[in-house]
Amino acid sequence: MARTGRPADRQVESVQKAIAVLDVLAAAGEELGTNEIARRTGVNASTVSRLLATLVAPGLVQYHQASGRYGLGIRILQLAGAARETLDIRRIARPSLEDLVAVSGETATLSVPGEHDVMTLDFVQSPQSVRSVAEVGRNSVRHATAVGKVFLAHGGRAPDELTRFTEHTITDHDVLEREIARIRERGWAVSRAEREPDLVGVAVPVLDADGDLVAILGVQGPRGRLDEARAEVLAGTLGEHARTVASAF
């Protein structure tokens, strides 16, 4: 069969039904009997019984003998852990970066936190002739960029010395702490000409199910195009995409 570069679109009905059983068990949050699973999936009870037997064998579903009911098995957790280890966040976030550029007309970035710094992992460049230029592998200044401030708001440590880059750079630790507290409260950060005189950046955290910071999405562009109202609108759009990316973790 010739390769098309896309997954096959013909689906196996029995696999679809097995997935429906797993979805029902996951949504229930409790053990369910065969008849109840059949009712919720719309699959007849005899088929559900066979599907459950098939899913119990590899540990995807657990049979509780005392109650005669079923719940998700430990194998699900093992597979989820393996999936997280192999996730390519650049691939996951790329459609969001492209959409952010289409919506904003500005450069969109994906950054990842390290132990002490936060680094640009990927970006999509603005199509405008006057634009912000991103660079893969570049660390964001923690106290003077929107991405850096998000990092500080989620456990990062501020530099001991707050270097002044422009007249708007925050160089007082007390002022910076108040700024970080506001970011935690509203869920997004902005930097207005704090790293470069004409640059504005907006950024939001991408959090996993445990609330840990796994990445940061940002948009950056010239000050003349990103006023306060525009930055707030983009913060909402960034937040929507951050939730989409986070759903993979």
Side-chain angles (χ1 to χ4, degrees), residues 158-178:
D160 293 333
E161 181 180 351
L162 303 180
T163 303
R164 181 180 295 279
F165 296 98
T166 74
E167 63 178 324
H168 300 288
T169 305
I170 298 174
T171 56
D172 182 282
H173 277 280
D174 289 337
V175 175
L176 181 61
E177 286 180 9
R178 290 194 291 272

Side-chain angles (χ1 to χ4, degrees), residues 70-86:
Y70 296 85
L72 291 180
I74 192 68
R75 184 72 179 278
I76 291 289
L77 295 177
Q78 294 169 342
L79 292 174
R84 287 191 60 177
E85 290 298 320
T86 58

